[in-house]
Amino acid sequence: MFRGLYTATSGMMANNRQQQVLTNNLANAMTPGFKKDQSVMRAFPAQLIKAMESGGTTVGGAKLPASQKHIGTLHTGVYTQEGIPSFTQGALKNTGNSTDLALLSSSLPINPETGQQGAVSFAVSLPNNEIRYTQNGQFTVDDAGFLTTAEGFNVLNQNLQPIQVNSTEFTIGEGGQVTLADGTVNNSLFLSYTENPQQFIKEGQNLLRWAGDPALAPVSIELAGLGNTGPLVQQGYIEQSNVDLTQTMTDMMKTYRGFESNQKIIQAYDRSMEKAVNEIGRV
């Protein structure tokens, strides 16, 4: 009886975790460049059940069964894995602002081993000079003339240095080349590419941290040999979140029903145990 109680409890906890992931996706549905998280529910390791039949032999004082009859397997519950970002391309929105940049991933190759498409990101610098990545291209120009994120993090060029554009009168080429108002071309955006974007970890403020093998960390488009694959940046546009509102709401309702079903199972166990204690135990 208690094994089923634990199984239902694990189901409630797993559905609660999935609901948290979906709620976070819904809250960021209007955040530029936001990538939705996908959660996967998995079962705990299954137990193999066998029946021990009598009539065996005795070896060293221990009686061994004559045979073991295979009955089946028993799962002991479920759990929800950590949310994994989905790097599918979001819809593009025309803003007309020169500081708004959208990343284009349609021309990126697909990894033949994983079947997944790689991802390209902007590189930014934290106040402690650590490098982070973002797909939110809604930038601005600070008082010193540097291109920054809305939070004030410097956008980096091909040499991993801050980009100084001096004013909003600049243009960005399809490959990330920066042309200033006077026609000078002395910078290019550091467009980082990785074949396995699932190794990114979200850190808040729409920033991504590389958590995979340092030897496989994102490299520039040029080093990856993708400089001529197609346009990678579109100026005057922002990439919207890839959250599907209709699908997210449907998944939230389904998760709620799963939580409710497990809750009813626990209530049924509670009534059964109450009856066992107050009625059967009295006989």
Side-chain angles (χ1 to χ4, degrees):
M1 178 182 293
F2 291 107
R3 181 179 289 116
L5 187 65
Y6 296 145
T7 301
T9 301
S10 71
M12 290 181 64
M13 295 174 64
N15 280 291
N16 181 59
R17 174 56 183 152
Q18 283 195 325
Q19 194 78 330
Q20 292 175 359
V21 172
L22 292 170
T23 301
N24 183 64
N25 289 341
L26 189 63
N28 288 280
M30 303 304 294
T31 302
F34 178 81
K35 300 302 180 183
K36 65 181 179 181
D37 289 320
Q38 297 176 315
S39 59
V40 179
M41 188 177 292
R42 297 187 61 183
F44 286 130
Q47 296 179 351
L48 182 62
I49 302 177
K50 292 184 178 181
M52 302 292 187
E53 297 185 356
S54 59
T57 59
T58 301
V59 178
K63 189 171 183 179
L64 302 179
S67 62
Q68 297 181 359
K69 183 180 179 181
H70 178 69
I71 297 178
T73 58
L74 175 67
H75 289 280
T76 56
V78 295
Y79 68 96
T80 298
Q81 290 183 311
E82 184 178 357
I84 302 174
S86 170
F87 285 86
T88 56
Q89 176 82 53
L92 301 186
K93 178 181 179 181
N94 186 354
T95 65
N97 298 326
S98 61
T99 55
D100 288 340
L101 307 175
L103 292 171
L104 308 177
S105 59
S106 58
S107 61
L108 296 178
I110 297 177
N111 189 330
E113 296 182 0
T114 63
Q116 300 292 325
Q117 191 174 40
V120 61
S121 307
F122 300 108
V124 299
S125 176
L126 299 183
N128 60 2
N129 295 323
E130 290 186 2
I131 296 176
R132 293 295 183 267
Y133 306 91
T134 183
Q135 297 204 331
N136 181 4
Q138 197 170 39
F139 299 139
T140 186
V141 178
D142 66 9
D143 295 338
F146 288 96
L147 190 64
T148 68
T149 66
E151 295 77 20
F153 304 131
N154 286 320
V155 182
L156 302 181
N157 63 14
Q158 73 277 11
N159 299 318
L160 298 179
Q161 297 298 318
I163 299 176
Q164 190 168 18
V165 293
N166 299 322
S167 70
T168 59
E169 300 299 323
F170 66 92
T171 57
I172 302 291
E174 294 180 343
Q177 301 82 9
V178 181
T179 303
L180 304 183
D182 59 2
T184 304
V185 182
N186 59 1
N187 273 318
S188 180
L189 292 169
F190 183 84
L191 300 178
S192 60
Y193 171 78
T194 176
E195 290 184 344
N196 191 10
Q198 282 71 32
Q199 295 299 314
F200 280 128
I201 292 181
K202 293 183 177 180
E203 283 196 338
Q205 298 179 309
N206 231 343
L207 297 180
L208 302 168
R209 175 173 58 86
W210 179 255
D213 187 348
L216 301 177
V219 297
S220 66
I221 288 293
E222 290 74 16
L223 289 179
L226 302 176
N228 298 319
T229 57
L232 297 172
V233 181
Q234 189 164 357
Q235 189 174 17
Y237 288 77
I238 58 172
E239 180 187 358
Q240 297 180 295
S241 166
N242 64 355
V243 175
D244 186 327
L245 291 176
T246 303
Q247 184 63 48
T248 301
M249 292 297 296
T250 302
D251 291 341
M252 290 180 70
M253 288 188 289
K254 182 177 66 175
T255 302
Y256 172 76
R257 294 303 181 190
F259 183 93
E260 188 178 45
S261 299
N262 283 286
Q263 186 181 43
K264 291 184 180 298
I265 292 174
I266 291 178
Q267 291 173 346
Y269 271 112
D270 181 63
R271 290 192 296 268
S272 298
M273 289 186 291
E274 181 182 9
K275 189 171 184 179
V277 172
N278 295 332
E279 297 181 21
I280 300 177
R282 224 179 330 180
V283 178

